[in-house]
Amino acid sequence: QVHLVESGGGLVQPGGSLRLSCEASERIFSIISMGWYRQAPGKQRELVATISNIGSTNYTARVKGRFTISRDNAKNTVYLQMTSLKPDDTGVYYCNKFPSTRRLWGQGTQVTVSS
């Protein structure tokens, strides 16, 4: 089955940008929908963005216009370009299949937006 590894998180000031990457180990990645999810301290995990096998995208209203999800099937990788970051964007960011499946949750990558 697919193994996913997230990277690219870090500490940024409000208004800054980051690009997250999610690299998959299996070629079946290319035929499934993927999503980025996040969990802020003390809050439930939430869906941030999705991308279908052919590149159709959807976003939560909280990030629409600021974040862009994309994929490179040749590299088995999905990206999340984040701009105009806000303190409320702070959390651990995870990738997974969409809809998510328990077996694919990994360690995620920490994003901290703070001055």
Side-chain angles (χ1 to χ4, degrees), residues 32-51:
I32 61 175
S33 295
M34 297 292 295
W36 280 99
Y37 306 76
R38 68 185 180 187
Q39 187 167 22
K43 296 186 181 296
Q44 297 280 97
R45 179 180 280 146
E46 66 176 348
L47 178 65
V48 175
T50 64
I51 185 165

Side-chain angles (χ1 to χ4, degrees), residues 11 33 43-44 51 53 60 85 104:
L11 173 65
S33 295
K43 296 186 181 296
Q44 297 280 97
I51 185 165
N53 63 312
T60 178
L85 283 162
L104 291 181

Side-chain angles (χ1 to χ4, degrees), residues 27-85:
R27 291 185 64 86
I28 62 167
F29 168 87
S30 66
I31 63 171
I32 61 175
S33 295
M34 297 292 295
W36 280 99
Y37 306 76
R38 68 185 180 187
Q39 187 167 22
K43 296 186 181 296
Q44 297 280 97
R45 179 180 280 146
E46 66 176 348
L47 178 65
V48 175
T50 64
I51 185 165
S52 77
N53 63 312
I54 60 170
S56 298
T57 60
N58 289 100
Y59 302 88
T60 178
R62 287 182 287 279
V63 309
K64 193 169 186 177
R66 300 188 296 118
F67 291 11
T68 302
I69 188 171
S70 61
R71 69 195 298 163
D72 184 340
N73 288 340
K75 295 182 177 181
N76 293 330
T77 302
V78 62
Y79 304 96
L80 187 68
Q81 179 67 53
M82 306 185 294
T83 62
S84 301
L85 283 162

